[in-house]
Each structure stands twice: as C-alpha cells, then as structure tokens.
Amino acid sequence: NQTDTDDLPIQRFNREKRIAKEKRAYEKGGALGLTPKLLFAFEDGVVCEYINGKRMWVILQQDKSRIWTMLQDIIKIYSQLHQLGITH
C-alpha cells in the first residue's frame, strides 16, 4: 500500500506520541517565548494560551509588503525551535 508521501522524510506518529511531542514542544517553546504557553495537555489534544493580536492574514491584507519581514521573523523562530530539537 504505497502512498504519494512514502518517499518523503516524514515521521508519522500515533495519537499518543503526537500529543506527547506537541506537549514537549509547547513546554520548551513556551518557556522561551517561542510558542504559546501550554495550559493543559489531554489524552487527545493540548490547550495553549491565547495570544492577543492581529492575525497575520489581516495584516497582510492591509500591507502585503510586510510579508518579507514576517517571514524573516518566522524563520528565526523556527531556527531556534529546531536548535532545541523541536520540529514539526
């Protein structure tokens, strides 16, 4: 049973491992201000703090030129997360 993603370097986790991975990511990332802070972890999901602010989509609709600055910020955060061993 081959799928169109079988040759991609991705890991598929069962629900338990996926939730555990998300929990660790939010615990580490939240402590450093890189992700929302984890509030609760359940068997089937996580709840993180609400981040008050405008959505990226709304900002870009108002000023598309901000995309490059936003992407630079996002890449810096992803790089820091990867250095901590947090990957998506």
Side-chain angles (χ1 to χ4, degrees), residues 22-70:
E22 286 185 31
K23 181 180 180 242
R24 282 191 305 274
Y26 284 122
E27 286 172 336
K28 283 183 178 180
L32 298 172
L34 300 172
T35 67
K37 291 180 183 157
L38 179 71
L39 298 177
F40 303 102
F42 302 96
E43 188 176 301
D44 58 350
V46 297
V47 176
C48 294
E49 71 178 335
Y50 174 77
I51 298 177
N52 192 18
K54 284 187 177 181
R55 295 186 181 274
M56 184 176 169
W57 178 251
V58 172
I59 294 169
L60 290 175
Q61 284 180 321
Q62 295 169 351
D63 182 1
K64 290 178 178 52
S65 70
R66 295 197 51 198
I67 185 69
W68 303 114
T69 303
M70 289 178 158

